[in-house]
Amino acid sequence: MHACRSTLEDPLIYFMLFANVYLYGVNDLFDLDTDLLNPKKAGPERSAAGATRLLAASAAASALAAVPLAVDPTAAALTVLYLILSTAYSAPPLRLKARPLLDSYSNWLYIVPAALGYYMSSGSLPPAWVWAAGVAWTAGMHALSAVPDIEADKKAGVKTVAVAMGPRGTMLFVVANWTTTAVILTARDPLLAPSLLYPAVALYLALRPHLVPTWYWRFPYINTAMGALAFLYATRHIWTGYL
């Protein structure tokens, strides 16, 4: 029992702390141009020197903290995948955040920690339908979060999916992705029908795109509540083998 708990604690601590610092450290370093123009971000006090120090410290910490995960090849591969996607999203030469559609569809990096937790709890990777639902949901969430940044990204010359599609077009893109997620989940199990809340809210915002900046700040609460339900559902079904 002690060994199992230790095995699960390693990725939990890593992805709650070190991996997040790495992801946002890289993002801050290469987003200085847009952040200085974006009222949603910290503003002028975010200096290049500070971001560079954060990146260096987080990269070193991430490399060291990931060592305990490397004892298992699958866990190591998932961790490396997360770090590669985290870097490619913000850093040249790929800088996926400035490539419409690729910016949204690279955000499935956020489901990699969940996949790792599932693997270390069950001994197998999540089934394909879970990956598909997760990719569609993260793409929609990314696109929605890019809408309040449209003007800042335009000024900085960063062409995101929201810049390319505009507020209403982007929200219709979100509707399509979140509908895909909800259909996949509800078809699998009617107990997952609460996921229909996401496309419903997205459709409402597609009809009223001027409300997206306000609703953007409500999604952390929605995601926390829905994430808690998803965690309880997944935990129960991991042990029954239903997934």
Side-chain angles (χ1 to χ4, degrees), residues 154-174:
K154 281 183 178 179
K155 291 176 182 177
V158 179
K159 191 175 183 181
T160 64
V161 67
V163 170
M165 294 185 175
R168 191 181 303 276
T170 302
M171 289 312 304
L172 291 174
F173 173 76
V174 176

Side-chain angles (χ1 to χ4, degrees), residues 111-234:
I111 66 175
V112 173
L116 178 57
Y118 181 92
Y119 167 74
M120 299 192 79
S121 298
S122 67
S124 61
L125 291 173
W129 67 269
V130 174
W131 286 100
V135 169
W137 185 86
T138 53
M141 191 69 244
H142 169 273
L144 182 146
S145 67
V147 172
D149 297 340
I150 287 177
E151 292 306 316
D153 287 335
K154 281 183 178 179
K155 291 176 182 177
V158 179
K159 191 175 183 181
T160 64
V161 67
V163 170
M165 294 185 175
R168 191 181 303 276
T170 302
M171 289 312 304
L172 291 174
F173 173 76
V174 176
V175 171
N177 277 280
W178 282 353
T179 298
T180 299
T181 296
V183 168
I184 291 173
L185 296 180
T186 306
R188 179 68 184 183
D189 190 338
L191 287 176
L192 296 173
S195 61
L196 291 166
L197 172 67
Y198 281 104
V201 172
L203 181 59
Y204 171 78
L205 293 175
L207 298 174
R208 299 168 178 80
H210 63 282
L211 295 178
V212 174
T214 299
W215 272 82
Y216 169 81
W217 296 106
R218 297 175 182 173
F219 271 93
Y221 302 103
I222 296 173
N223 292 344
T224 298
M226 298 294 279
L229 292 175
F231 174 79
L232 292 173
Y233 179 89

Side-chain angles (χ1 to χ4, degrees), residues 73-94:
T74 301
L78 288 171
T79 304
V80 170
L81 176 62
Y82 175 88
L83 294 174
I84 289 174
L85 288 172
S86 298
T87 304
Y89 177 76
S90 298
L94 292 179

Side-chain angles (χ1 to χ4, degrees), residues 14-156:
Y14 180 73
F15 282 102
M16 284 187 68
L17 178 60
F18 299 106
N20 267 305
V21 174
Y22 181 83
L23 170 64
Y24 292 106
V26 174
N27 185 263
D28 282 351
L29 176 64
F30 293 101
D31 277 5
L32 288 170
D33 51 355
T34 57
D35 288 348
L36 292 174
L37 299 169
N38 194 341
K40 196 178 81 176
K41 303 296 177 66
E45 71 269 20
R46 181 171 291 160
S47 67
T52 301
R53 287 194 297 270
L54 176 60
L55 174 61
S58 62
S62 294
L64 292 173
V67 170
L69 304 181
V71 296
D72 182 286
T74 301
L78 288 171
T79 304
V80 170
L81 176 62
Y82 175 88
L83 294 174
I84 289 174
L85 288 172
S86 298
T87 304
Y89 177 76
S90 298
L94 292 179
R95 192 159 164 76
L96 299 177
K97 74 161 294 173
R99 301 174 185 267
L101 295 183
L102 286 179
D103 56 349
S104 291
Y105 285 114
S106 63
N107 261 244
W108 63 275
L109 68 92
Y110 283 101
I111 66 175
V112 173
L116 178 57
Y118 181 92
Y119 167 74
M120 299 192 79
S121 298
S122 67
S124 61
L125 291 173
W129 67 269
V130 174
W131 286 100
V135 169
W137 185 86
T138 53
M141 191 69 244
H142 169 273
L144 182 146
S145 67
V147 172
D149 297 340
I150 287 177
E151 292 306 316
D153 287 335
K154 281 183 178 179
K155 291 176 182 177

